[in-house]
Amino acid sequence: MGARVLDGAAVAKQIREELKPSVEAFTAKAGRPPGLGIILVGDDPASHVYVSSKLKSAQDTGLRADLERLPASTTLDDLLRVVERLNASDAHDGILVQSPLPDAMGADAERRVFDAVRADKDVDGFHPSNVGALVQNRATLVACTPSGVIELLERSHVKIAGSRAVVVGRSDIVGKPMALLLLHRHATVTICHSRTPNLAQVAAEGDILVSAIGRPGFITPDFVKPGAAVVDVGTTPVTDRQIVERLFPPGTKRHDAFLKRGQLVIGDVHPDVAGVAGALSPVPGGVGPLTIALLLRNTLRAAQLRAGWAG
Ligand code: NAP
């Protein structure tokens, strides 16, 4: 028996289509499209792929998206100056600084950069004032990946209110906002992390299980309550053939994809979970496209709010 597929790509397409008339209306009224400024520092290949997808989706949905590419040698001060320029730009309603930043920038660089983005242009939802508003359930700009997971669950008719939800991972950008969004929708939420004892047992209490840890195939069937809705946020690029073949034996589609590209992006959830879960989001085609769709929605929302056209 296979789990129902939680089709993130289809839900993301639906969201993008829903955005188009509002983007058009904003553009007609403002005389310019909602604008997104993306800053990409360095040469991380995965970041380049993510940024290209964001630019293309933005343009396809009628938004303006500009890329500021900076070399890996950029200093933190130089990067902060670019953020300040976009903060002051009237054409840009949203600013996104692609993570990760080069290690050479220092351990606290990301925090300093995210803090420097104007809160009303913080379409990633990482600024402390937006996070504080989320805690109080009155946020306007919420982190895109966890918001995308909520859209996926709700539009797939997974019941959240009254359910037990377990979130594995407690990062500021996924795990914590995910737990808060589920809590605000009246789930009883447990957050797990690397120090959680008996993790499989705790995870298996969830009617909803969201994994965001970046450990390929870590969530095996014993972590999953039979019939649970499982959302796999993890996306880890794997080049090690042994790891790939442990999860996807030769002859499977995913193994073929690995042979073609020499690399495979693998989720946290073991493929055998499909035999236990009631519903399961795939990697790829699950949460990834939703993150981008929610980024576009946040950019439109930021534009409307800045113009004073949203309640
Ligand atoms: P992160 O900042 O590295 O945080 C990982 C979290 O997982 C930490 O809280 C860590 O616990 C926990 N963890 C790690 N190993 C664990 C283990 N063996 N058992 C239990 N918990 C463990 O990562 P992130 O930025 O949240 O991202 C998580 C994953 O989601 C990554 O694969 C990332 O690529 C993916 N992601 C995907 C999207 C998308 O659009 N699809 C967007 C964002 C992130 P501690 O706190 O105890 O260290």
Side-chain angles (χ1 to χ4, degrees):
M1 211 175 49
R4 173 165 72 102
V5 175
L6 297 173
D7 189 346
V11 172
K13 184 161 184 269
Q14 197 179 31
I15 294 171
R16 289 196 306 271
E17 290 304 317
E18 287 168 9
L19 288 175
K20 282 182 183 169
S22 306
V23 169
E24 273 174 31
F26 178 92
T27 306
K29 196 166 167 183
R32 65 166 184 90
L36 172 65
I38 299 181
I39 305 174
L40 173 60
V41 189
D43 307 309
D44 179 60
S47 293
H48 277 259
V49 173
Y50 297 144
V51 164
S52 303
S53 304
K54 287 169 185 175
L55 289 169
K56 183 175 182 315
S57 288
Q59 279 147 10
D60 289 351
T61 313
L63 285 85
R64 166 181 173 168
D66 298 318
L67 175 61
E68 301 271 355
R69 275 193 67 172
L70 303 174
S73 57
T74 304
T75 64
L76 180 56
D77 283 344
D78 286 342
L79 172 56
L80 289 170
R81 268 191 284 277
V82 177
V83 171
E84 280 313 319
R85 178 157 50 77
L86 290 174
N87 275 344
S89 162
D90 256 351
H92 296 97
D93 305 287
I95 302 169
L96 178 149
V97 182
Q98 184 64 42
S99 164
L101 293 174
D103 290 342
M105 276 195 177
D108 65 342
E110 277 192 5
R111 178 150 288 179
R112 285 189 57 192
V113 171
F114 294 153
D115 285 359
V117 171
R118 261 173 62 158
D120 63 349
K121 294 191 176 189
D122 167 38
V123 285
D124 259 337
F126 296 163
H127 191 281
S129 62
N130 287 325
V131 175
L134 172 62
V135 172
Q136 296 183 344
N137 197 17
R138 57 188 177 116
T140 46
L141 296 174
V142 179
C144 303
T145 300
S147 302
V149 173
I150 294 291
E151 291 290 341
L152 181 62
L153 293 172
E154 289 185 338
R155 292 176 190 241
S156 308
H157 310 290
V158 173
K159 180 175 162 287
I160 301 177
S163 297
R164 287 290 304 272
V166 178
V167 178
V168 191
R170 58 173 164 179
S171 70
D172 289 344
I173 65 168
V174 188
K176 285 179 202 164
M178 185 74 254
L180 285 164
L181 290 174
L182 289 162
L183 180 68
H184 295 329
R185 282 160 183 75
H186 314 295
T188 301
V189 183
T190 303
I191 307 175
C192 302
H193 45 78
S194 65
R195 310 280 186 94
T196 303
N198 305 322
L199 183 52
Q201 200 182 323
V202 179
E205 290 171 6
D207 304 304
I208 296 169
L209 175 62
V210 180
S211 181
I213 59 175
R215 299 275 180 270
F218 184 87
I219 303 292
T220 45
D222 51 322
F223 285 67
V224 178
K225 179 177 178 172
V230 180
V231 180
D232 191 353
V233 178
T235 47
T236 308
V238 177
T239 50
D240 183 327
R241 191 182 182 124
Q242 271 189 333
I243 297 177
V244 172
E245 292 192 349
R246 187 167 51 79
L247 298 167
F248 305 105
T252 58
K253 258 194 196 166
R254 298 277 280 145
H255 190 270
D256 290 348
F258 170 70
L259 291 182
K260 212 181 278 172
R261 293 186 220 115
Q263 184 210 284
L264 199 63
V265 173
I266 300 183
D268 293 344
V269 177
H270 194 286
D272 290 352
V273 166
V276 182
L280 174 61
S281 73
V283 175
V287 176
L290 284 162
T291 299
I292 298 178
L294 271 290
L295 170 69
L296 307 183
R297 194 167 83 182
N298 274 353
T299 303
L300 171 65
R301 183 124 183 92
Q304 291 168 329
L305 285 165
R306 280 193 342 113
W309 299 336

